[in-house]
Amino acid sequence: MDLTHRPRRLRQDRVRGLVSETSLEPADFIAPVFVDATTDERRPIETMPGHERVPIDESVARVEEVLETGVEAVMLFGIPESKDPEGTRAWADDGVVQEATRRITSETDAYVITDVCLCEYTDHGHCGPLEAELRGEDGSHEHGPECDPIRTVDNDATLEALDRIAVSHAEAGADMIAPSGMMDGMVAAIRAGLDREGFEHVPIMSYAAKYESAFYGPFRDAADGAPAFGDRRHYQMDPANAREAMREVRLDAEQGADVLMVKPALPYLDIVGDLRREFDHPIAAYNVSGEYAMLHAASEKGWLDLEAVAHESLLSIKRAGADLILTYFAEDVAERLSDRS
Ligand SMILES: [Zn+2]
């Protein structure tokens, strides 16, 4: 038996750290924050323990809590006070994200990234205005068997809206813009809008390979963004496809995306790894609400050690090639990393 090679030699206690290939830091994380214009008080999100929807008045306090853990960046999601077929509150100067962004950027040092999409703002819950064929005479939506399900969101009309939303966020002080709607041409439209209005310095983090995933379930509680009919499979990616992700992401890179994101993270680490090898851009991965909720649920039953699996999850995402990790575990894991050092 030839045992010249014994990998166990390097697994002994005092050498492990020296040969460790991957480590996590609070600066790797982006914490999602939900700001809700329909409430005056903080409301816990039942399916995402430890997370809340906070009113605009509490948005600065909420972000200060994040900063105390060592996490330096937040991703803002907004729940507007009203919704309509076009999602017009998404680009309102006094909209929920615009107002929260103004306060957070003027009162804290947080790096503020804003989610740019329409699904929380449209009354039908899709990521853009619907194609005309799907609307009734009075402009209301009528969905029935006569609808061609392929014609849901009007891609090109949505691009105009995304341009307006991104500019309104930048005007409010957003540090980075993150379009999540998976519309064709969205990065180019937003880049053009930002540059036209003098925001050449504001980077775009594109949700470049966003899959039509069942792991988003709990988020829909958090952001009130469930589609009123159908699903998003005609614009988000088919979970079966990996080569398509390269094509999809390459288009965003060509359109000027500064950071490329994969969402969800854990079920799609092969895609994160592929992107890492294929592109020189920073790669982000979104460890989504379902990935968070299932670990919490199992630990509540005593089946998993929450602290250990949360850390291992984020470490795996980074090892696969992500530079930035959006995660609901951001604060908890960052706090423990700071305790350790
Ligand atoms: Zn959306």
Side-chain angles (χ1 to χ4, degrees):
M1 196 168 28
D2 175 14
L3 277 174
T4 308
H5 300 284
R6 290 179 182 269
R8 287 183 56 177
R9 288 178 196 126
L10 296 179
R11 290 180 200 142
Q12 297 174 82
D13 275 340
R14 285 160 52 244
V15 72
R16 293 173 65 86
L18 285 172
V19 300
S20 169
E21 299 174 28
T22 311
S23 61
L24 292 170
E25 290 169 43
D28 298 331
F29 306 145
I30 299 166
V33 167
F34 298 96
V35 186
D36 185 347
T38 70
T39 182
D40 297 329
E41 55 188 49
R42 289 176 169 230
R43 289 196 184 157
I45 302 165
E46 202 180 325
T47 51
M48 294 163 62
H51 284 272
E52 299 171 311
R53 288 154 65 141
V54 302
I56 293 169
D57 282 344
E58 291 282 325
S59 56
V60 169
R62 175 74 193 96
V63 170
E64 281 170 346
E65 292 164 9
V66 172
L67 296 176
E68 273 167 29
T69 67
V71 174
E72 297 164 5
V74 294
M75 170 79 95
L76 292 188
F77 293 93
I79 296 104
E81 67 278 5
S82 63
K83 306 188 183 209
D84 58 47
E86 311 296 323
T88 58
R89 291 300 298 169
W91 58 83
D93 185 47
D94 61 349
V96 57
V97 167
Q98 291 80 356
E99 190 54 40
T101 299
R102 267 191 291 275
R103 297 191 191 191
I104 294 163
T105 53
S106 63
E107 295 178 42
T108 78
D109 292 329
Y111 189 80
V112 175
I113 307 169
T114 55
D115 180 82
V116 169
C117 198
L118 282 149
C119 43
E120 285 130 38
Y121 300 87
T122 54
D123 52 11
H124 44 74
H126 278 281
C127 298
L130 300 173
E131 292 197 323
E133 286 81 349
L134 290 178
R135 284 188 218 128
E137 304 269 296
D138 58 353
S140 67
H141 174 70
E142 287 173 8
H143 189 66
E146 73 282 1
C147 291
D148 174 357
I150 291 172
R151 312 185 76 173
T152 53
V153 171
D154 183 336
N155 190 89
D156 298 7
T158 303
L159 297 181
E160 292 168 33
L162 296 179
D163 171 346
R164 299 177 75 170
I165 301 168
V167 168
S168 74
H169 288 184
E171 283 172 344
D175 294 301
M176 182 184 269
I177 300 294
S180 60
M182 288 296 283
M183 294 301 131
D184 292 336
M186 69 180 184
V187 173
I190 289 172
R191 187 70 271 159
L194 292 173
D195 292 355
R196 183 191 67 233
E197 302 299 330
F199 296 109
E200 304 87 350
H201 58 283
V202 175
I204 297 173
M205 173 162 65
S206 179
Y207 288 65
K210 181 176 180 181
Y211 284 86
E212 205 271 323
S213 171
F215 284 94
Y216 303 147
F219 176 91
R220 295 186 182 161
D221 265 12
D224 259 355
F229 64 91
D231 53 38
R232 299 193 171 107
R233 71 183 186 280
H234 300 123
Y235 38 104
Q236 296 177 351
M237 281 192 51
D238 183 344
N241 294 353
R243 292 193 302 274
E244 186 195 356
M246 292 306 111
R247 179 169 181 240
E248 177 70 66
V249 172
R250 192 167 294 113
L251 289 170
D252 283 10
E254 287 167 4
Q255 290 168 34
D258 299 282
V259 180
L260 304 169
M261 191 204 295
V262 176
K263 182 180 181 182
L266 293 175
Y268 297 89
L269 292 184
D270 57 328
I271 309 299
V272 174
D274 287 350
L275 257 61
R276 176 71 292 151
R277 283 184 290 278
E278 194 72 17
F279 298 92
D280 294 328
H281 299 65
I283 305 297
Y286 201 137
N287 177 227
V288 304
S289 57
E291 300 172 52
Y292 177 82
M294 66 183 180
L295 298 191
H296 268 274
S299 83
E300 272 171 31
K301 283 184 169 286
W303 294 349
L304 284 176
D305 174 344
L306 184 62
E307 188 175 324
V309 289
H311 187 274
E312 185 177 335
S313 296
L314 302 191
L315 191 67
S316 304
I317 294 165
K318 189 159 180 196
R319 188 198 64 232
D323 305 290
L324 302 76
I325 304 173
L326 294 108
T327 177
Y328 301 99
F329 288 117
E331 292 163 88
D332 289 345
V333 174
E335 251 174 355
R336 284 193 291 274
L337 290 170
S338 318
D339 288 350
R340 232 174 266 178
S341 57

Coordinates of all heavy atoms in Angstrom, one line a residue, residues 208-209 242-255 257-262 271-283 321 323:
A208 N -28.6 38.6 -13.7 CA -28.3 38.2 -15.0 C -28.8 36.8 -15.3 O -29.4 36.6 -16.4 CB -26.8 38.3 -15.3
A209 N -28.7 35.9 -14.4 CA -29.2 34.5 -14.6 C -30.2 34.3 -13.4 O -29.8 33.8 -12.4 CB -28.1 33.5 -14.6
A242 N -28.4 25.4 -18.4 CA -27.1 26.0 -17.9 C -26.5 26.7 -19.1 O -25.9 27.8 -18.9 CB -26.2 24.9 -17.4
R243 N -26.5 26.1 -20.3 CA -25.9 26.8 -21.4 C -26.6 28.1 -21.7 O -26.0 29.1 -22.0 CB -25.9 25.9 -22.7 CG -25.0 24.7 -22.6 CD -24.9 24.0 -23.9 NE -26.1 23.6 -24.5 CZ -26.8 22.5 -24.3 NH1 -26.2 21.6 -23.5 NH2 -27.9 22.2 -24.8
E244 N -27.9 28.1 -21.6 CA -28.7 29.3 -21.8 C -28.2 30.4 -20.9 O -28.3 31.6 -21.2 CB -30.2 29.0 -21.6 CG -31.0 30.2 -22.0 CD -32.5 30.1 -21.5 OE1 -32.8 29.1 -20.9 OE2 -33.2 31.1 -21.7
A245 N -27.8 30.0 -19.7 CA -27.4 31.1 -18.7 C -26.2 31.8 -19.2 O -26.1 33.0 -19.1 CB -27.0 30.4 -17.4
M246 N -25.3 31.1 -19.9 CA -24.1 31.8 -20.4 C -24.5 32.8 -21.5 O -24.0 33.9 -21.6 CB -23.1 30.8 -21.1 CG -22.5 29.9 -20.1 SD -21.6 30.8 -18.7 CE -22.7 30.3 -17.4
R247 N -25.4 32.4 -22.3 CA -25.9 33.3 -23.4 C -26.6 34.5 -22.8 O -26.4 35.7 -23.1 CB -26.9 32.5 -24.3 CG -27.4 33.4 -25.4 CD -28.1 32.5 -26.4 NE -28.6 33.3 -27.5 CZ -29.9 33.4 -27.8 NH1 -30.8 32.7 -27.2 NH2 -30.3 34.2 -28.8
E248 N -27.5 34.3 -21.8 CA -28.2 35.3 -21.1 C -27.3 36.3 -20.4 O -27.4 37.5 -20.5 CB -29.2 34.6 -20.2 CG -30.0 35.5 -19.3 CD -31.1 36.3 -20.1 OE1 -32.0 35.6 -20.6 OE2 -31.0 37.5 -20.2
V249 N -26.3 35.7 -19.7 CA -25.4 36.6 -18.9 C -24.5 37.4 -19.9 O -24.2 38.5 -19.6 CB -24.6 35.7 -18.0 CG1 -23.5 36.5 -17.3 CG2 -25.5 35.1 -16.9
R250 N -24.1 36.7 -21.0 CA -23.2 37.4 -21.9 C -23.9 38.7 -22.4 O -23.2 39.7 -22.6 CB -22.8 36.5 -23.0 CG -21.6 37.0 -23.9 CD -21.0 35.9 -24.8 NE -20.3 34.9 -24.0 CZ -20.8 33.6 -24.0 NH1 -21.8 33.2 -24.6 NH2 -20.1 32.8 -23.2
L251 N -25.2 38.6 -22.7 CA -25.9 39.8 -23.2 C -25.8 40.9 -22.2 O -25.6 42.1 -22.6 CB -27.4 39.4 -23.5 CG -27.6 38.5 -24.7 CD1 -29.0 38.0 -24.7 CD2 -27.2 39.2 -26.0
D252 N -26.0 40.6 -20.9 CA -26.0 41.6 -19.9 C -24.6 42.2 -19.8 O -24.4 43.4 -19.6 CB -26.4 41.1 -18.5 CG -27.9 40.9 -18.4 OD1 -28.6 41.0 -19.5 OD2 -28.4 40.6 -17.3
A253 N -23.6 41.4 -19.9 CA -22.2 41.9 -19.9 C -21.9 42.8 -21.0 O -21.4 43.9 -20.9 CB -21.2 40.7 -19.9
E254 N -22.4 42.4 -22.2 CA -22.2 43.3 -23.4 C -22.9 44.6 -23.3 O -22.5 45.6 -23.8 CB -22.7 42.5 -24.7 CG -21.8 41.4 -25.1 CD -22.4 40.5 -26.1 OE1 -23.6 40.7 -26.6 OE2 -21.8 39.5 -26.5
Q255 N -24.1 44.6 -22.5 CA -24.8 45.8 -22.4 C -24.3 46.7 -21.3 O -24.8 47.8 -21.0 CB -26.3 45.5 -22.1 CG -27.1 44.9 -23.3 CD -28.4 44.3 -22.8 OE1 -29.1 44.8 -21.9 NE2 -28.8 43.2 -23.5
A257 N -23.3 45.6 -17.9 CA -23.5 45.3 -16.5 C -22.1 45.2 -15.8 O -21.2 44.7 -16.3 CB -24.2 43.9 -16.4
D258 N -22.1 45.8 -14.6 CA -20.8 45.8 -13.9 C -20.6 44.6 -13.0 O -19.5 44.2 -12.7 CB -20.8 47.1 -13.0 CG -20.9 48.3 -13.8 OD1 -19.9 48.7 -14.4 OD2 -22.0 48.9 -14.0
V259 N -21.7 44.1 -12.4 CA -21.7 42.9 -11.6 C -22.8 42.0 -12.1 O -23.9 42.4 -12.5 CB -22.0 43.3 -10.1 CG1 -22.0 42.0 -9.2 CG2 -21.1 44.3 -9.6
L260 N -22.5 40.7 -12.2 CA -23.4 39.7 -12.7 C -23.9 38.8 -11.6 O -23.1 38.2 -10.9 CB -22.6 38.8 -13.8 CG -22.0 39.7 -14.9 CD1 -21.1 38.8 -15.8 CD2 -23.1 40.3 -15.8
M261 N -25.2 38.6 -11.5 CA -25.8 37.9 -10.4 C -26.4 36.6 -10.9 O -27.0 36.5 -12.0 CB -26.8 38.7 -9.7 CG -27.2 38.1 -8.4 SD -28.9 38.6 -7.8 CE -28.6 40.3 -7.5
V262 N -26.3 35.6 -10.0 CA -27.1 34.3 -10.2 C -28.1 34.2 -9.1 O -27.7 34.5 -7.9 CB -26.1 33.1 -10.2 CG1 -26.9 31.8 -10.3 CG2 -25.1 33.2 -11.3
I271 N -23.9 27.1 -11.9 CA -24.0 28.3 -12.7 C -23.0 29.4 -12.2 O -22.3 30.0 -13.0 CB -25.4 28.9 -12.8 CG1 -26.4 27.7 -13.1 CG2 -25.5 30.0 -13.7 CD1 -26.2 27.1 -14.5
V272 N -23.0 29.5 -10.9 CA -22.0 30.4 -10.3 C -20.6 30.1 -10.7 O -19.8 30.9 -11.1 CB -22.1 30.4 -8.7 CG1 -21.0 31.3 -8.1 CG2 -23.5 30.9 -8.3
G273 N -20.3 28.8 -10.6 CA -18.9 28.3 -11.1 C -18.6 28.6 -12.5 O -17.6 29.0 -12.9
D274 N -19.7 28.3 -13.4 CA -19.5 28.6 -14.8 C -19.2 30.1 -15.1 O -18.4 30.4 -15.9 CB -20.8 28.2 -15.6 CG -21.0 26.7 -15.7 OD1 -20.0 25.9 -15.3 OD2 -22.1 26.2 -16.1
L275 N -20.0 30.9 -14.4 CA -19.8 32.4 -14.6 C -18.4 32.8 -14.1 O -17.8 33.6 -14.8 CB -20.9 33.2 -13.8 CG -22.0 33.7 -14.6 CD1 -22.8 32.6 -15.3 CD2 -22.9 34.5 -13.7
R276 N -18.0 32.2 -13.0 CA -16.7 32.6 -12.5 C -15.6 32.3 -13.5 O -14.7 33.1 -13.7 CB -16.4 31.8 -11.2 CG -15.1 32.0 -10.6 CD -14.8 33.4 -9.9 NE -14.8 34.4 -10.9 CZ -15.2 35.7 -10.8 NH1 -15.6 36.1 -9.6 NH2 -15.1 36.5 -11.7
R277 N -15.7 31.2 -14.2 CA -14.7 30.8 -15.2 C -14.8 31.6 -16.5 O -13.9 31.9 -17.1 CB -14.8 29.3 -15.5 CG -14.2 28.4 -14.5 CD -14.2 26.9 -14.9 NE -15.6 26.4 -14.9 CZ -16.3 26.0 -13.8 NH1 -15.7 26.0 -12.6 NH2 -17.5 25.5 -13.9
E278 N -16.0 32.0 -16.8 CA -16.3 32.6 -18.1 C -16.1 34.1 -18.2 O -15.8 34.7 -19.2 CB -17.8 32.2 -18.5 CG -18.1 32.5 -20.0 CD -17.5 31.5 -20.9 OE1 -17.0 30.4 -20.5 OE2 -17.4 31.8 -22.1
F279 N -16.3 34.7 -17.0 CA -16.3 36.2 -17.0 C -15.3 36.7 -16.0 O -15.0 36.1 -14.9 CB -17.7 36.8 -16.6 CG -18.7 36.4 -17.6 CD1 -19.5 35.3 -17.5 CD2 -18.9 37.2 -18.8 CE1 -20.5 34.9 -18.4 CE2 -19.9 36.9 -19.7 CZ -20.7 35.7 -19.5
D280 N -14.8 37.9 -16.2 CA -13.9 38.6 -15.3 C -14.6 39.5 -14.3 O -14.0 40.1 -13.4 CB -12.8 39.4 -16.0 CG -11.9 38.4 -16.8 OD1 -11.7 37.3 -16.3 OD2 -11.4 38.8 -17.9
H281 N -15.9 39.7 -14.6 CA -16.7 40.6 -13.7 C -16.8 40.0 -12.3 O -16.7 38.8 -12.1 CB -18.1 40.7 -14.3 CG -18.2 41.3 -15.6 ND1 -17.7 40.6 -16.7 CD2 -18.8 42.4 -16.1 CE1 -18.0 41.4 -17.8 NE2 -18.6 42.4 -17.5
P282 N -17.1 40.9 -11.3 CA -17.5 40.4 -10.0 C -18.8 39.6 -10.2 O -19.7 40.0 -11.0 CB -17.7 41.6 -9.2 CG -17.0 42.7 -9.9 CD -17.0 42.4 -11.3
I283 N -18.9 38.5 -9.5 CA -20.0 37.6 -9.6 C -20.8 37.7 -8.2 O -20.2 37.6 -7.2 CB -19.7 36.1 -9.8 CG1 -18.8 36.0 -11.1 CG2 -20.9 35.2 -9.9 CD1 -19.5 36.4 -12.4
G321 N -17.5 30.6 -6.4 CA -17.0 31.7 -7.2 C -17.7 33.0 -7.0 O -17.4 34.0 -7.7
D323 N -18.3 36.6 -5.4 CA -17.6 37.6 -4.7 C -18.6 38.4 -3.7 O -18.1 38.8 -2.7 CB -17.0 38.7 -5.7 CG -16.2 38.0 -6.7 OD1 -15.1 37.6 -6.4 OD2 -16.6 38.0 -7.9

